[in-house]
Amino acid sequence: MWTLDARAEVPLWRPQHDAPGTRMAFTTRRGGTSAPPYHSLNVGRSTADRAESVDANRRRVLAALELDPRRVATAGQVHGATTIEVREPVHAPACDALVTRERGLTLAVTTADCLPLIYVAPGAVAVAHSGWRGTAAGMPRAALGAICAAGSADPASVSVHLGPCIRPCCYEVGLEVASRFDPAFFRASGERWRLDLAAAARAQLLDAGVPDRSIFDTGACTACESAWYFSYRRDGSHSGRHWALVSIAA
């Protein structure tokens, strides 16, 4: 379903076939203007990168997708499970997911290691940021409920797309984190545990009624592939940020 157009000027994860009437993508760290350590496609305004570089990088991504840079809504991201419906360009500070029915309005969330999710339903789209706190709080299921309510849709009619995030090959956590999840989603690694955020999110979606055939995962690990992705776990405060974007065509 998803392919990385590695040779493009701005390499992006794109669906092989966009859902009818939608545009969606996950960014990488390549194809931007930022200097080290944020080289090069850092889209995170919460970083110490130059604001001019971040803005230029965002414009590059939107241009590559032929999306209007004046029509973008973003989420503040507080590591919770709140989704807000938006109808115009806005920065919504107190949520981690956005849903809309408005044509031509792009929704975007930033991530480094946290799991980005894109939802597509008849007449509505949504995007969510779901780290371990958000996933434990039920964000994947909550965003699904929000898009179903906005589009008067059934979960069986929704497709959900999981972007690059830290995977269990690299995601070691302590017992205080692992204990928030079903044991099916972590395994012992010495005195630590390896957590599978994507598997935990998929389980919530399946349990809520999304068919397995409608869940698509890039499979990419942000911590493993330093040439392609930013990773807060790997790089700390010097990590840039990616975008997950979705829009209903105008």
Side-chain angles (χ1 to χ4, degrees), residues 169-183:
C169 52
C170 297
Y171 197 18
E172 288 192 348
V173 299
L175 180 61
E176 71 283 1
V177 174
S179 63
R180 300 281 298 274
F181 294 85
D182 187 286

Side-chain angles (χ1 to χ4, degrees), residues 175-201:
L175 180 61
E176 71 283 1
V177 174
S179 63
R180 300 281 298 274
F181 294 85
D182 187 286
F185 307 128
F186 61 87
R187 67 177 187 272
S189 177
E191 297 182 356
R192 307 276 286 174
W193 285 262
R194 293 184 182 268
L195 178 62
D196 193 336
L197 276 181

Side-chain angles (χ1 to χ4, degrees), residues 78-100:
V78 292
H79 294 278
T82 299
T83 304
I84 292 178
E85 182 171 357
V86 292
R87 296 180 174 84
E88 59 186 4
V90 67
H91 179 69
C95 70
D96 284 81
L98 303 168
V99 62
T100 193

Side-chain angles (χ1 to χ4, degrees), residues 25-240:
F26 299 105
T27 68
T28 70
R29 71 178 300 163
R30 294 190 182 182
T33 65
S34 295
Y38 301 105
H39 55 297
S40 63
L41 193 68
N42 173 35
V43 296
R45 286 180 174 156
S46 63
T47 67
D49 195 2
R50 295 175 64 250
E52 296 85 352
S53 297
V54 173
D55 290 344
N57 293 339
R58 291 184 170 199
R59 289 194 298 270
R60 285 191 176 202
V61 172
L62 295 165
L65 294 167
E66 299 181 338
L67 296 171
D68 188 345
R70 300 165 299 177
R71 301 273 295 159
V72 180
T74 57
Q77 303 178 202
V78 292
H79 294 278
T82 299
T83 304
I84 292 178
E85 182 171 357
V86 292
R87 296 180 174 84
E88 59 186 4
V90 67
H91 179 69
C95 70
D96 284 81
L98 303 168
V99 62
T100 193
R101 293 171 287 173
E102 295 298 316
R103 293 183 177 276
L105 178 63
T106 297
L107 308 180
V109 292
T110 56
T111 59
D113 289 319
C114 294
L115 174 66
L117 301 108
I118 293 172
Y119 298 73
V120 179
V125 293
V127 68
H129 156 269
S130 193
W132 76 259
R133 291 179 179 84
T135 304
M139 170 53 86
R141 184 184 295 108
L144 175 66
I147 194 172
C148 287
S152 300
D154 184 90
S157 68
V158 180
S159 64
V160 187
H161 307 268
L162 284 60
C165 68
I166 193 167
R167 305 283 171 161
C169 52
C170 297
Y171 197 18
E172 288 192 348
V173 299
L175 180 61
E176 71 283 1
V177 174
S179 63
R180 300 281 298 274
F181 294 85
D182 187 286
F185 307 128
F186 61 87
R187 67 177 187 272
S189 177
E191 297 182 356
R192 307 276 286 174
W193 285 262
R194 293 184 182 268
L195 178 62
D196 193 336
L197 276 181
R202 178 184 286 269
Q204 289 187 32
L205 296 167
L206 292 171
D207 185 64
V210 179
D212 185 65
R213 66 179 182 276
S214 298
I215 303 174
F216 304 93
D217 190 350
T218 63
C221 177
T222 49
C224 274
E225 302 179 68
S226 60
W228 279 105
Y229 305 106
F230 299 112
S231 169
Y232 194 88
R233 174 60 67 100
R234 185 187 65 233
D235 302 327
S237 61
H238 297 303
S239 172

